Amino acid sequence: MIYLDSNATTQVHPQVVDAMLPFLTDHFHNPSSGYSAGQSVKAAIAKARGQVASLIGAQPEEIVFTGCGTESNNMAIKALAREIGRKSSKVVVSEIEHSAVLRPTEAMAAVGFDVQRVGVDAYGRLDLAALERAVDSDVPGFLSLMWANNETGVIQPIAEATAIAQAAGWHVHTDAIQAVGKVPVRVDEVPVDYLSISGHKFHAPKGVGVLYIRSGSPFEPMIRGGGQENGHRSGTENVPYIVGLGAAAEIMEKEMQPGAGLERVGRLRDHLETSLQESLDGVRLNGSRQHRTTNVAHVAFDGCVATDMLPRLDAAGILCSAGSACMTGKSNPSHVQKAMGYSDAHAFSSLRLSLSIFSTQEEVDQAIEKIVAVAKACR
Ligand code: PLP
């Protein structure tokens, strides 16, 4: 089996499993317990908080552990909705957001908020001039813009967009779920107010996430109870998963260094794209070449339909997707590719091939051979 779907989820890193196991066995104690066994579990959470803070240039107390990336997005958006109020306020998101931003903001629109979606250019990057027009300094509002897109891997002009929104006195949330652990994401360089992270996109398990909340930013908890996570997200902490997320953050901080794993992933991805284009006519690479995460190739195969290719690829042992995992089984073309101005035929002919630090040259070479054969068979 060759796994090329790392934007859907990643393999849990063996070192992450090792870090987690003691907290599923001997160290099962409640971190709120006052005795020493509880306090050492509490210390493990504090360590994980520091590891995540270090990865994104935050202060540890600004890190709130959550149940997943979707929860983080909803927490930020709902807190902001309450802050700005529905009368005479405005919410701006991009057209290419994940459903974990589109659905909660649609729910806001349904109860009377003015929600606007700003488009992207043909390379999949936000139209900053349109953002300037949408942002209104006369009313309270917020911008939610993803750092990197889950389908194309295209990195958004987040620093510029944040400056535009904040100049109007607006708050900024970013869904950085597809960027953290892949490219540098630093809240000490880009002053977003809230930032969402999901563990399973960078070798921690599924079911654990983070919401970064900049000190001083307004926040109203969605889940109230025992006051864990500094009152921001009550509920007894999911200690093994939090410890795993911390360990993954530390691993990926190292893998992002020059000469380390993610650079190698970038070379593999480039080799994959170049080889597909050299082996077949009518292979188009979607999205910005310059502004993107190193692990994604988003490729259109003219004359093919991705939903015909996927079962054949699966049978050949290649696991990948058309668009995002959440879109599987949907008959509409991807909203991301439509926003980029692609025809339905182009959108339906595209595969997302996403690598990770566990991808090997041998796997990529085999995948190239099989994808070429399947594309020829489908044409
Ligand atoms: N946002 C983006 C950009 C994603 O890619 C995903 C996962 O596919 C999510 C949000 C949801 O994260 P989670 O699966 O942790 O709920």
Side-chain angles (χ1 to χ4, degrees):
M1 216 61 107
I2 297 174
Y3 188 65
L4 296 180
D5 205 15
S6 293
N7 273 22
T9 196
T10 55
Q11 179 189 336
V12 180
H13 197 294
Q15 287 170 26
V16 169
V17 177
D18 288 346
M20 290 172 66
L21 279 177
F23 297 91
L24 288 163
T25 53
D26 296 348
H27 300 290
F28 61 85
H29 308 89
N30 191 321
S32 298
S33 297
Y35 40 78
S36 54
Q39 291 306 295
S40 71
V41 171
K42 189 175 176 182
I45 295 179
K47 178 178 174 195
R49 208 181 298 288
Q51 287 165 318
V52 175
S54 164
L55 179 65
I56 63 165
Q59 298 303 314
E61 61 276 14
E62 295 173 316
I63 301 298
V64 178
F65 290 109
T66 67
C68 61
T70 301
E71 182 183 319
S72 305
N73 284 350
N74 275 265
M75 267 167 70
I77 288 168
K78 287 178 182 165
L80 280 166
R82 185 182 266 252
E83 174 66 17
I84 63 173
R86 81 181 67 171
K87 291 218 174 72
S88 310
S89 64
K90 206 163 169 185
V91 177
V92 173
V93 300
S94 81
E95 278 182 9
I96 59 163
E97 294 301 311
H98 189 271
S99 47
V101 165
L102 294 178
R103 298 294 93 80
T105 49
E106 274 168 10
M108 291 175 68
V111 295
F113 282 90
D114 178 3
V115 180
Q116 281 191 23
R117 291 188 185 169
V118 170
V120 296
D121 62 18
Y123 300 100
R125 298 195 91 215
L126 188 81
D127 178 346
L128 287 169
L131 176 68
E132 290 262 18
R133 291 193 295 275
V135 164
D136 184 347
S137 56
D138 291 336
V139 295
F142 74 84
L143 167 71
S144 180
L145 172 66
M146 64 196 338
W147 198 295
N149 182 263
N150 45 302
E151 291 186 34
T152 59
V154 172
I155 297 171
Q156 299 304 311
I158 187 77
E160 296 85 337
T162 298
I164 291 169
Q166 289 181 341
W170 283 22
H171 300 289
V172 177
H173 164 252
T174 181
D175 172 346
I177 288 167
Q178 291 289 355
V180 168
K182 294 175 181 164
V183 290
V185 170
R186 305 281 312 182
V187 295
D188 48 357
E189 288 167 13
V190 181
V192 294
D193 303 288
Y194 309 85
L195 179 146
S196 301
I197 299 177
S198 174
H200 74 104
K201 305 297 184 182
F202 60 99
H203 307 293
K206 285 165 266 301
V208 63
V210 164
L211 181 64
Y212 158 82
I213 307 174
R214 184 173 295 278
S215 292
S217 297
F219 188 74
E220 185 68 32
M222 217 163 72
I223 302 177
R224 291 174 188 278
Q228 291 89 347
E229 294 301 292
N230 203 17
H232 292 331
R233 201 271 192 181
S234 288
T236 303
E237 297 89 336
N238 186 355
V239 180
Y241 281 55
I242 289 172
V243 167
L245 176 48
E250 187 173 323
I251 292 167
M252 297 319 288
E253 192 170 350
K254 292 190 186 122
E255 293 288 6
M256 273 192 295
Q257 297 305 314
L262 282 158
E263 248 183 46
R264 188 185 62 82
V265 170
R267 285 196 297 275
L268 279 181
R269 189 271 317 272
D270 293 347
H271 167 62
L272 172 64
E273 289 180 340
T274 314
S275 305
L276 288 173
Q277 287 199 303
E278 283 170 3
S279 312
L280 281 172
D281 290 333
V283 172
R284 288 186 273 172
L285 306 177
N286 300 329
S288 167
R289 315 250 52 74
Q290 192 192 346
H291 302 284
R292 57 179 178 154
T293 58
T294 51
N295 74 312
V296 189
H298 199 268
V299 190
F301 296 86
D302 288 355
C304 295
V305 178
T307 47
D308 290 342
M309 295 179 78
L310 289 175
R312 296 180 200 231
L313 288 168
D314 189 6
I318 311 288
L319 308 185
C320 61
S321 64
S324 66
C326 315
M327 294 298 290
T328 305
K330 298 202 174 150
S331 51
N332 298 333
S334 137
H335 70 288
V336 175
Q337 294 185 62
K338 290 306 287 178
M340 290 162 76
Y342 294 168
S343 66
D344 286 3
H346 184 158
F348 280 129
S349 73
S350 300
L351 290 183
R352 179 184 70 180
L353 308 165
S354 48
L355 285 64
S356 81
I357 51 165
F358 291 116
S359 305
T360 66
Q361 175 84 41
E362 199 190 359
E363 284 178 337
V364 169
D365 284 336
Q366 280 183 33
I368 292 163
E369 206 177 287
K370 291 184 172 163
I371 295 168
V372 169
V374 166
K376 282 183 178 160
C378 284
R379 276 177 176 169

